[in-house]
């Protein structure tokens, strides 16, 4: 008899504890962030889509060395360039196939001239596949302060400055 | 018009009525097969008489893909093996590469790997705990564990720039150093997390219904586990204290103080308890690695174009699901000649035909949940 | 508040009006009666639909907050119109019949299930003297009216031509028949105490809520009611993680809506029955009776929600054990105890 009472007490306690947990939660403020209305600030290092930011003078730094194209595991980047008279390469087209990109950031690490950055743009869905093939040299995206310092492990980032929110419009 | 046996017919022809086993295809689309796994069950009423997993629905040719990529490029891809504990895939792969080229990894990098790895183990176990609750019909633990996991993913976002597919480990070290303010964020998380395992206990582990569902279900004896090369928490739930972090220490693990958790019973509840305890241990390791992280480089002397000498290497580590091993063969080129991946989930899954017969249909789900495999990893 | 105290008169008055209308239109007066009946059915149906909408919203909100999230927030203020949007979606969704299905059975099943819950709703006393149909055997009627639901669920399980559905249907039949026993037995004690089968008289007899005399019966009833409504921790027939959705796996659109409706109506019926028989129904100070009725029913419904979002699910055999080996003997003991109490006191 005592055993039955004890075990039923255990059952009641076991169930009651669980009920107490959920009831307690009922009166606490939920942790939900209602996404399109409310947005979280992305950490500085977050990798969104690739951009070719402009310097203050409005130029990109790409020298068509093709390091990024070689580093990319998926063939996301296809660079077209023309060689001038002085044997210097000039970028003609920086083709970025967004549909293939896995946002691994290897291209940015590979870039020896700090020409590439991964922005915080992440709402990249499009109704048309063609809109996912981007030509980065056509976009005039200013250099964001949060991108200072480069992304390669050789140079460490300065302390997180500001929100780190990239103000990048989706291209295409 | 088919002949329908009536009562009279049954009496005169007893063979007219016979019961038969039902073949039930559980999956590939099913709420609790944890991905695209197909489980062929033969049921006698509610009782399983035969079971066979049918894998390969998300085979992506991981091992072959390695042969078409350079060593450095392949790191990011390993994230997609076991996406819930991605860091262990990268880490294991990098270990193998480092062994091939004999690269020394700086201690700071080892500490950062341990830190990221244990965070990852914790987040993986959190997902498992939620899914486990879901499998036995409790909906609420999932949202609670995902709340905590979300905090870990935010930490990863801060550290590596990505929430699940980190691409954090590099051959010779790690990609990025700790960002400013990261240690405080981790400490805040640990403070928050401290109360959580007890809360899960109150919500789920002490619940008599949950115990009734898990106790004595899917018993996996140690011999059977060994026969199927089961590793990780599943093996430790069968009373074998095999944890590579302790038994064949690698990286910075010898410097950490933690317990290898085992439970002798070998049933679903034992596996559950082991994982819950491992979450507490992971939190301990995280705290220690934060305090003890040494100063120094985070990258060893790895050449920019990685071309290891011809040879082979097999390195393994303790992932959150068991022993994860990478076998690499190099022919001296910039791409692996062969890459073979030993995934824990594959071996863990292979015990299902052995332990499922005889259990109830509802137990199948509980057993699958307690074994905790990741189908993309199984199929590779 | 005469309209609440005398709704029977209101109905009579309406019926009279309809008869007059029929006579005026040159039709037999009985046609007016029929029209009145049809109108009553429709108004009850509308009550059902609104009730279920409110319940679904309440459940989703409560579940959300219990799970540290918000629940519906997008459609309307705090998502109040979400249920309406969902209903519209369900109504306009194409309802197709799977190729494997036994078409006739498949189509009929949701209505049978719904009808069971709907019929039980008829005899609930909302207030003193207020109930759609007054029966002097209300307890038996409600319990009996809910039973054909099993048939509907079996029909759905069989008719879908799906193994998961079949398993769900069979589980459900076994479960609901098993739990009918303790459910009925637990109410016998109440009937003995109140010396009536009439719900009105039973409420009137509760100067002290019967739950104080019959705590064991209350617990047995509560557990059995949760099992009868197929809700967690006894949602074995639906068992999402095992059977995808059990007997209604193959249903969509409006047919699925009927299953949904039936589940919530049934939950309401059992909550209302518990409130009526154990908690004193419409009896209570200050507030009007129907308020007390809904407050008590709401409390019981909250228990249903609370259980669902806290507990894991039992296994089929454990469920049977609980029903036959624990609840049924407990209910019998309770009856014996009540009888002895009534004899000696």
């Amino acid at each position: 008899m005592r055993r039955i009472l004890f075990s039923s007490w255990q059952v009641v306690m076991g169930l009651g504890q669980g009920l107490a947990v959920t009831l307690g939660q009922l009166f606490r403020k939920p942790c939900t962030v209602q996404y399109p209305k409310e947005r979280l600030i992305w950490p500085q290092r977050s990798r969104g889509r690739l951009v070719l930011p402009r310097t203050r003078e409005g130029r990109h730094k790409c020298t068509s060395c093709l390091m990024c194209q070689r580093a990319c595991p998926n063939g996301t980047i296809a660079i077209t360039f023309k060689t001038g008279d002085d044997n210097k390469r000039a970028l003609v087209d920086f083709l970025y196939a967004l549909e293939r990109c896995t946002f691994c950031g290897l291209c940015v690490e590979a870039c020896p001239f700090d020409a590439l950055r991964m922005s915080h743009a992440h709402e990249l869905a499009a109704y048309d596949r063609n809109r996912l093939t981007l030509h980065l040299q056509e976009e005039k995206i200013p250099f964001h302060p949060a991108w200072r310092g480069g992304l390669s492990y050789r140079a460490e980032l300065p302390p997180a400055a500001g929100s780190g929110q990239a103000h990048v419009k989706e291209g295409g | 018009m088919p002949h329908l046996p009536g009562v009279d017919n049954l009496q005169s022809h007893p063979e007219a009525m016979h019961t038969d086993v039902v073949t039930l295809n559980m999956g590939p689309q099913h709420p609790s097969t944890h991905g695209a796994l197909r489980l062929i069950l033969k049921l006698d009423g509610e009782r399983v008489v035969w079971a066979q997993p049918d894998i390969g629905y998300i085979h992506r040719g991981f091992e072959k893909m390695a042969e078409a990529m350079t060593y450095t490029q392949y790191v990011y891809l390993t994230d997609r093996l076991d996406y819930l504990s991605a860091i262990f895939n990268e880490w294991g792969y990098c270990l193998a590469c480092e062994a091939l080229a004999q690269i020394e990894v700086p201690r700071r990098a080892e500490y950062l790997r341990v830190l990221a790895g244990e965070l990852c183990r914790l987040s993986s176990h959190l997902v498992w705990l939620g899914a486990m609750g879901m499998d036995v019909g409790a909906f609420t633990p999932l949202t609670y564990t995902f709340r905590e996991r979300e905090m870990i993913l935010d930490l990863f976002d801060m550290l590596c720039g990505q929430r699940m597919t980190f691409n954090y480990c590099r051959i010779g070290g790690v990609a990025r150093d700790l960002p400013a303010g990261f240690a405080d964020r981790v400490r805040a998380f640990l403070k928050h997390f401290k109360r959580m395992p007890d809360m899960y206990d109150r919500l789920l582990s002490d619940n008599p219904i949950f115990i009734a569902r898990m106790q004595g279900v899917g018993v996996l004896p140690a011999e059977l586990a060994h026969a199927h090369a089961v590793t990780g928490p599943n093996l430790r739930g069968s009373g074998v204290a095999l944890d590579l972090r302790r038994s064949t220490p690698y990286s910075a693990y010898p410097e950490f103080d933690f317990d290898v958790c085992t439970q002798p019973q070998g049933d679903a509840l034992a596996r559950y308890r082991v994982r819950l305890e491992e979450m507490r241990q992971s939190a301990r390791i995280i705290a220690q690695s934060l305090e003890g992280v040494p100063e120094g480089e985070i990258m060893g002397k790895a050449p920019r174009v990685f071309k290891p000498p011809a040879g082979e290497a097999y390195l393994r580590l303790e992932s959150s699901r068991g022993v994860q091993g990478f076998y690499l063969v190099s022919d001296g080129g910039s791409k692996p000649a062969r890459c073979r991946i030993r995934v824990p989930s594959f071996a863990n899954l292979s015990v299902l035909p052995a332990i499922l017969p005889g259990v109830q249909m509802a137990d199948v789900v509980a057993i699958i949940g307690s074994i905790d495999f990741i189908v993309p990893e199984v199929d590779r | 508040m005469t309209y609440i105290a005398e709704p029977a008169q209101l109905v009579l008055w309406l019926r009279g009006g309809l008869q007059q209308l029929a006579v005026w239109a040159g039709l037999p007066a009985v046609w007016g009666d029929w029209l009145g009946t049809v109108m009553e059915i429709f108004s009850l149906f509308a009550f059902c639909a609104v009730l279920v909408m409110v319940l679904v919203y309440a459940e989703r909100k409560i579940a959300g907050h219990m799970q540290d999230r918000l629940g519906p927030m997008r459609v309307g203020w705090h998502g109040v119109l979400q249920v309406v949007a969902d209903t519209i979606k369900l109504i306009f969704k194409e309802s197709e019949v799977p190729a494997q299905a036994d078409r006739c059975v498949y189509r009929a099943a949701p209505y049978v299930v719904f009808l069971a819950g709907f019929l039980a709703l008829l005899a609930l006393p909302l207030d003193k003297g207020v109930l759609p149909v007054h029966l002097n055997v209300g307890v038996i009627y409600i319990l009996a009216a809910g039973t054909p639901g099993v048939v509907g669920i079996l029909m759905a399980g069989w008719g879908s031509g799906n193994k998961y559905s079949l398993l769900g249907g069979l589980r459900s039949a076994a479960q609901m028949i098993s739990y009918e026993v303790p459910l009925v037995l637990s109410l016998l004690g109440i009937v003995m105490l109140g010396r009536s089968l009439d719900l009105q008289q039973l409420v009137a007899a509760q100067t002290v809520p019967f739950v104080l005399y019959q705590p064991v019966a209350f617990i047995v009833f509560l557990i059995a009611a949760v099992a009868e409504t197929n809700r967690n921790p006894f949602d074995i027939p639906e068992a999402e993680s095992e059977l995808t959705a059990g007997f209604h796996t193959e249903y969509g659109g409006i047919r699925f809506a009927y299953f949904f409706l039936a589940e919530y109506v049934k939950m309401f019926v059992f909550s209302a029955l518990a409130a009526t028989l154990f908690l004193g129904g419409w009896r209570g100070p200050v507030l009007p009776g129907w308020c007390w009725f809904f407050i008590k029913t709401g409390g019981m419904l909250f228990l249903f929600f609370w259980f669902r979002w806290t507990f894991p699910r039992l296994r089929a055999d454990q469920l049977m054990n609980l029903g036959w080996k624990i609840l049924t003997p407990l209910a019998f003991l309770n009856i014996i105890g009540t009888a002895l109490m009534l004899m000696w006191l």
Side-chain angles (χ1 to χ4, degrees):
Chain A
M1 187 64 199
R2 200 199 246 150
R3 207 170 56 87
I4 292 174
L5 275 180
F6 180 68
S7 61
S8 37
W9 173 246
Q10 268 188 326
V11 166
V12 170
M13 280 308 288
L15 295 174
Q17 278 180 347
L19 288 171
V21 169
T22 41
L23 189 69
Q25 188 61 52
L26 185 60
F27 300 107
R28 258 177 244 141
K29 197 175 173 334
C31 64
T32 308
V33 178
Q34 296 196 64
Y35 161 57
K37 260 195 280 176
E38 306 163 23
R39 279 156 193 270
L40 294 175
I41 295 165
W42 279 38
Q44 195 180 20
R45 290 177 180 179
S46 292
R47 298 197 294 264
R49 97 161 171 74
L50 201 61
V51 289
L52 205 57
R54 303 289 173 139
T55 58
R56 206 162 289 161
E57 296 79 42
R59 287 196 311 267
H60 62 72
K61 294 198 218 158
C62 181
T63 58
S64 315
C65 67
L66 302 187
M67 289 298 278
C68 51
Q69 189 174 327
R70 283 197 202 110
C72 180
N74 311 310
T76 308
I77 299 167
I79 292 175
T80 323
F81 60 88
K82 62 172 185 258
T83 317
D85 301 332
D86 51 351
N87 227 7
K88 266 186 139 181
R89 290 168 174 184
L91 182 69
V92 174
D93 184 25
F94 193 108
L95 192 132
Y96 173 47
L98 191 50
E99 60 209 293
R100 292 187 182 184
C101 185
T102 56
F103 309 99
C104 64
L106 288 178
C107 50
V108 180
E109 275 178 33
C111 183
F113 300 99
D114 253 9
L116 279 171
R117 283 291 181 274
M118 298 220 97
S119 72
H120 285 181
H122 56 283
E123 288 152 323
L124 302 170
Y127 280 108
D128 189 348
R129 255 186 121 125
N130 296 326
R131 284 176 174 269
L132 296 176
T133 307
L134 308 174
H135 303 277
L136 294 191
Q137 83 285 357
E138 289 169 5
E139 303 168 352
K140 303 263 189 286
I141 289 158
F143 196 88
H144 193 274
W147 296 336
R148 237 178 301 132
L151 286 185
S152 96
Y153 46 80
R154 285 173 179 78
E156 199 33 53
L157 278 166
S163 70
Q165 274 277 23
H167 306 287
V168 180
K169 267 173 66 182
E170 269 85 47
Chain B
M1 187 70 188
H3 173 70
L4 293 174
V7 178
D8 296 341
N9 272 335
L10 276 183
Q11 273 156 2
S12 49
H13 306 283
E15 74 284 353
M17 194 185 116
H18 67 285
T19 54
D20 213 344
V21 290
V22 176
T23 308
L24 188 72
N25 277 307
M26 206 165 151
Q29 274 81 41
H30 189 278
S32 47
T33 50
H34 295 228
L37 170 77
R38 176 170 165 228
L39 206 56
I40 308 165
L41 300 173
K42 291 208 168 136
L43 298 178
D44 178 12
E46 286 263 343
R47 199 161 287 279
V48 177
V49 291
W50 184 86
Q52 190 70 50
D54 179 18
I55 60 169
Y57 283 89
I58 29 178
H59 174 64
R60 290 158 293 174
F62 256 95
E63 294 174 0
K64 192 70 187 164
M65 270 151 100
E67 294 166 27
M69 285 181 177
T70 65
Y71 284 95
T72 37
Q73 279 177 346
Y74 192 58
V75 177
Y76 98 97
L77 198 67
T78 57
D79 282 336
R80 274 93 179 154
L81 268 172
D82 174 355
Y83 50 80
L84 288 181
S85 46
I87 215 94
F88 295 109
N89 311 324
E90 301 172 2
W91 190 354
Y93 173 72
C94 289
L95 277 179
C97 289
E98 284 149 12
L100 268 181
Q102 271 145 19
I103 295 169
E104 190 85 11
V105 180
R107 268 191 77 225
R108 185 174 174 84
E110 295 283 25
Y111 262 74
L112 293 186
R113 283 179 178 184
V114 170
L115 173 63
E118 292 306 320
L119 276 173
C120 208
R121 191 187 309 275
L122 192 49
S123 83
S124 168
H125 281 358
L126 282 169
V127 175
W128 157 80
L129 178 62
M132 183 74 245
M134 202 81 171
D135 284 341
V136 293
F139 299 93
T140 304
L142 185 85
T143 56
Y144 292 174
T145 56
F146 267 58
R147 174 184 62 200
E148 271 78 73
R149 173 174 179 257
E150 191 66 21
M151 296 176 185
I152 298 180
L153 295 190
D154 282 344
L155 291 175
F156 270 119
D157 204 358
M158 229 175 138
L159 180 66
C160 329
Q162 206 70 281
R163 295 160 61 81
M164 283 179 79
T165 47
F166 312 120
N167 196 19
Y168 184 60
C169 293
R170 289 287 178 279
I171 300 167
V174 292
R176 318 285 292 273
D177 209 339
L178 293 180
F182 184 74
D184 292 333
R185 285 280 298 274
V186 177
R187 279 187 204 107
F189 165 72
L190 288 177
K191 196 166 164 247
H192 168 84
F193 186 72
K194 212 171 165 180
R195 297 175 290 118
M196 286 307 150
D198 296 335
M199 194 267 271
Y200 305 144
D201 272 344
R202 289 203 302 278
L203 184 61
L204 204 57
S205 339
D206 292 346
N207 190 311
I209 301 176
F210 183 74
I211 293 174
R213 282 298 303 276
M214 302 285 279
Q215 204 158 35
V217 164
V219 178
L220 177 63
E223 303 82 59
L224 185 67
H226 280 312
H228 284 267
V230 170
T231 47
N234 299 322
L235 184 63
R236 293 195 281 277
S238 300
V240 184
L242 179 80
D243 188 332
L244 291 188
R245 293 177 292 176
R246 188 48 65 71
S247 59
T248 51
Y250 55 96
S251 190
Y253 276 115
E255 296 163 35
F256 289 98
D257 175 30
F258 63 96
D259 300 328
V260 175
C261 345
T262 54
Q263 291 276 336
Q265 299 89 351
D267 57 357
L269 191 65
R271 296 192 278 273
Y272 173 87
R273 293 241 161 93
V274 165
R275 286 206 178 81
L276 206 61
E277 186 54 33
E278 269 185 20
M279 283 163 47
R280 294 192 173 100
Q281 297 302 328
S282 281
R284 272 179 73 191
I285 300 177
I286 293 166
Q288 289 171 39
S289 66
L290 265 188
E291 303 316 321
V293 60
E295 291 299 318
E297 289 287 308
I298 58 163
M299 271 299 282
K301 290 182 185 61
R304 200 160 170 118
V305 178
F306 186 77
K307 270 191 182 176
E312 55 180 34
Y314 176 67
L315 266 289
R316 31 180 220 159
L317 51 64
E318 184 75 25
S319 129
S320 47
R321 287 177 180 73
V323 172
Q324 173 108 13
F326 278 83
Y327 172 64
L328 283 177
V329 180
S330 163
D331 54 2
S334 62
K335 294 172 181 175
R338 173 81 172 97
C339 171
R340 153 96 185 124
I341 310 167
R342 193 267 182 217
V343 286
S345 296
F346 183 79
N348 296 354
L349 178 71
S350 73
V351 296
L352 284 185
I355 60 173
L356 284 188
V359 305
Q360 301 247 343
M361 167 78 188
D363 290 335
V364 173
V365 179
I367 291 170
I368 289 178
S370 75
I371 283 189
D372 184 33
F373 48 80
I374 288 283
V375 180
E377 187 185 49
V378 176
D379 292 348
R380 300 204 279 293
Chain C
M1 291 181 127
T2 46
Y3 74 97
I4 284 171
E6 312 287 342
Q9 284 179 6
L10 182 79
V11 170
L12 279 180
W13 180 79
L14 262 177
R15 290 238 159 166
L18 286 168
Q19 281 174 3
Q20 300 259 317
L21 194 74
V23 171
W24 176 77
L27 297 164
V30 187
W31 286 40
D33 264 354
W34 293 345
L35 191 63
T37 310
V38 170
M39 279 171 69
E40 273 174 23
I41 290 170
F42 270 97
S43 55
L44 252 177
F45 186 77
F47 172 73
C48 258
V50 173
L51 180 79
V52 169
M53 281 186 184
V54 172
L55 287 185
V56 170
Y57 178 73
E59 165 145 41
R60 288 182 66 178
K61 271 296 183 193
I62 289 171
H65 283 268
M66 274 185 176
Q67 299 190 330
D68 206 1
R69 48 189 185 90
L70 290 162
M73 284 298 278
R74 292 286 154 79
V75 192
W77 180 82
H78 278 247
V80 279
L81 296 177
Q82 182 67 51
V83 202
V84 182
D86 288 349
T87 313
I88 293 171
K89 176 222 160 197
L90 282 175
I91 290 172
F92 283 101
K93 204 170 167 185
E94 183 188 358
S95 39
E96 51 182 41
V97 183
Q100 297 279 318
D102 189 333
R103 299 181 76 89
C104 193
V105 179
Y106 174 85
R107 280 166 192 240
Y111 306 106
V112 175
V113 174
F114 171 70
L115 204 64
F118 184 66
L119 286 177
L121 199 63
L122 290 175
L124 286 176
L126 305 180
D127 197 349
K128 190 175 185 185
V130 181
L131 69 176
V133 180
H134 188 182
L135 292 168
N136 57 2
V137 287
V139 179
I140 291 183
Y141 170 75
I142 289 187
L143 292 175
T147 314
V150 187
V151 181
I153 287 177
L154 261 181
M155 282 164 72
W158 174 259
S160 298
N162 177 323
K163 287 170 191 166
Y164 288 109
S165 302
L166 184 62
L167 272 173
L170 291 177
R171 281 181 177 193
S172 181
Q175 170 179 343
M176 289 169 87
I177 290 168
S178 305
Y179 275 78
E180 208 100 307
V181 178
L183 188 81
V184 173
L185 291 179
S186 69
L187 293 184
L188 276 185
I190 297 287
V191 173
M192 286 155 80
L193 276 180
R195 289 167 205 278
S196 169
L197 284 168
D198 184 343
L199 288 166
Q200 286 289 359
Q201 287 182 21
L202 280 174
V203 175
Q206 295 184 59
T207 42
V208 176
F210 280 158
V211 64
L212 295 180
Y213 293 129
Q214 299 271 321
V216 178
F218 180 67
I219 291 166
V220 172
F221 178 83
L222 190 65
I223 297 174
V226 177
E228 277 287 295
T229 44
N230 293 340
R231 283 179 66 88
N232 211 336
F234 305 103
D235 64 341
I236 289 154
E238 286 156 44
E240 193 193 329
S241 52
E242 298 149 35
L243 302 180
T244 54
F247 60 88
H248 59 60
T249 305
E250 294 286 356
Y251 282 88
I254 191 70
R255 296 201 186 98
F256 171 74
Y258 271 101
F259 279 121
F260 211 62
L261 223 60
E263 181 185 329
Y264 280 85
V265 167
K266 230 173 155 189
M267 202 162 72
F268 179 80
V269 167
F270 280 114
S271 303
L273 202 59
T276 307
L277 295 180
F278 289 98
L279 304 178
W282 38 259
R283 291 181 77 110
V286 190
L287 291 172
W290 58 274
C291 274
W292 278 111
F293 173 79
F294 278 107
I295 288 171
K296 287 168 180 171
T297 309
M300 293 301 301
L301 283 166
F302 179 75
L303 275 184
F304 274 77
F305 298 155
W306 195 9
F307 289 165
R308 171 158 184 198
W309 298 105
T310 305
F311 293 146
R313 178 189 308 122
L314 280 163
R315 206 169 55 204
D317 58 325
Q318 291 164 349
L319 177 97
M320 291 296 153
N321 281 346
L322 178 66
W324 289 110
K325 293 187 187 163
I326 297 176
L327 293 185
T328 311
L330 263 183
F332 269 120
L333 282 177
N334 182 62
I335 293 172
I336 295 169
T338 314
L340 291 177
M341 193 174 86
L342 286 174
M343 254 169 72
W344 286 324
L345 295 182

